[in-house]
């Protein structure tokens, strides 16, 4: 990555028209997911999964589930960013990775496992909130990573979640939170849209 984070944030736009013949360089998909996977999540649950839709058949099926939005066929890849519920069932395995490398004491991992069991197990609303929070953060990280790698991206929430879940065989605890198209933008995309002034969106307490 050559750009500073500020340049990346300032220059990212939501792309709707891609160069259809542009193919990602080898290793790009893994690198995008490696970086998105560094996003934070509550209790380090890492309650996300990414499906890279790159094949023609996959793109056609996804486009159909996304109400025909054309950018899915044009983009080099569209990621289905899934958020995972039922964190209490996999937190032990996830935290073990940090315990094994001495990044986290085993007692802390146990305490976090207990906390997630208590707070999540009987609270489906919280599980869904956490899945959406984590997947959204990962999606944003991925878009910034893409920009830093010289690529363009677009977030999409316009899709039929049930259709995506069925077509791409998501597990019962996987929610399709967002689609992220990635590729090279055509020249005639919109510029970044104008944001409200900071004075309107910031307050102090
Ligand atoms: C959660 C979310 C859902 C979105 N869904 C769609 C979508 O289905 N189709 C689309 O063309 N753009 C979609 N967008 C893109 C927004 O329209 C875009 O981010 C916004 O207009 C700001 O554009 P800018 O970042 O280029 O200024 C979505 C963006 C977000 C964050």
């Amino acid at each position: 990555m050559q750009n500073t984070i500020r340049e990346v944030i300032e220059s990212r736009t939501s792309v709707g028209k891609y160069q259809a013949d542009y193919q990602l360089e080898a290793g790009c998909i893994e690198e995008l997911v490696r970086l998105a996977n560094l996003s934070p999540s509550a209790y380090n649950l890492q309650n996300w999964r990414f499906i890279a839709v790159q094949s023609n058949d996959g793109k056609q099926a996804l486009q159909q589930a996304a109400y025909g939005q054309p950018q899915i066929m044009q983009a080099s890849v569209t990621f289905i960013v899934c958020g995972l519920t039922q964190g209490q069932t996999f937190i032990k395995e996830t935290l073990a990775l940090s315990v094994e490398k001495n990044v986290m004491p085993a007692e802390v991992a146990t305490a976090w496992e207990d906390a997630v069991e208590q707070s999540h197990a009987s609270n489906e609303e919280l599980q869904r909130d956490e899945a959406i929070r984590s997947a959204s953060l990962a999606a944003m990280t991925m878009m910034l990573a893409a920009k830093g790698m010289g690529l363009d991206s677009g977030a999409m929430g316009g899709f039929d979640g049930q259709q995506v879940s069925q077509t791409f065989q998501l597990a019962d605890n996987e929610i399709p939170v967002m689609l992220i198209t990635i590729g090279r933008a055509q020249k005639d995309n919109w510029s970044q849209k104008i944001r409200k002034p900071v004075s309107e969106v910031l307050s102090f307490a």
Side-chain angles (χ1 to χ4, degrees):
M1 290 219 195
Q2 293 160 352
N3 299 312
T4 65
I5 190 71
R6 184 189 303 217
E7 284 167 345
V8 167
I9 292 169
E10 287 176 346
S11 62
R12 185 213 53 80
T13 58
S14 297
V15 166
K17 294 181 192 170
Y18 290 91
Q19 299 172 24
D21 57 356
Y22 178 74
Q23 297 199 343
L24 287 178
E25 283 171 29
C28 267
I29 290 188
E30 284 79 4
E31 181 63 357
L32 286 162
V33 172
R34 186 186 74 79
L35 293 168
N37 196 35
L38 292 173
S39 302
S41 52
Y43 295 104
N44 192 29
L45 274 173
Q46 304 173 48
N47 45 342
W48 46 57
R49 190 166 78 87
F50 308 88
I51 302 170
V53 181
Q54 240 195 338
S55 70
N56 204 50
D57 286 356
K59 285 179 175 182
Q60 275 178 0
L62 188 58
Q63 185 188 32
Q64 211 179 22
Y67 313 118
Q69 295 197 65
Q71 61 268 46
I72 291 175
M73 292 309 294
Q74 290 178 348
S76 305
V77 62
T78 300
F79 287 93
I80 305 171
V81 183
C82 304
L84 275 55
T85 61
Q86 297 171 26
Q88 72 279 4
T89 63
F90 57 81
I91 185 171
K92 192 176 171 68
E93 205 181 329
T94 308
L95 294 186
L97 299 168
S98 297
V99 174
E100 275 163 23
K101 299 266 184 206
N102 293 320
V103 170
M104 172 179 258
E107 314 84 76
V108 175
T110 305
W112 285 18
E113 287 155 28
D114 291 347
V116 170
E117 175 65 33
Q118 278 178 22
S119 58
H120 284 229
S122 58
N123 190 341
E124 285 184 10
E125 188 183 350
L126 177 64
Q127 289 180 32
R128 189 177 167 81
D129 286 350
E130 290 301 344
I132 294 171
R133 281 188 191 113
S134 297
S136 298
L137 283 171
M140 189 71 237
T141 303
M142 180 179 275
M143 289 193 284
L144 295 177
K147 193 73 207 167
M149 289 162 64
L151 298 166
D152 300 293
S153 68
M156 294 172 64
F159 59 88
D160 180 325
Q162 263 189 348
Q163 200 174 329
V164 170
S165 296
Q166 272 169 14
T167 307
F168 294 90
Q169 299 176 325
L170 268 54
D172 286 347
N173 75 324
E174 293 179 330
I175 300 169
V177 171
M178 222 179 296
L179 305 182
I180 303 292
T181 51
I182 294 186
R184 274 270 157 82
Q186 286 182 25
K187 288 215 160 42
D188 58 342
N189 275 278
W190 287 10
S191 302
Q192 191 179 68
K193 294 170 207 82
I194 306 304
R195 299 306 199 252
K196 295 188 260 188
V198 170
S199 58
E200 200 179 317
V201 298
L202 171 67
S203 61
F204 295 91

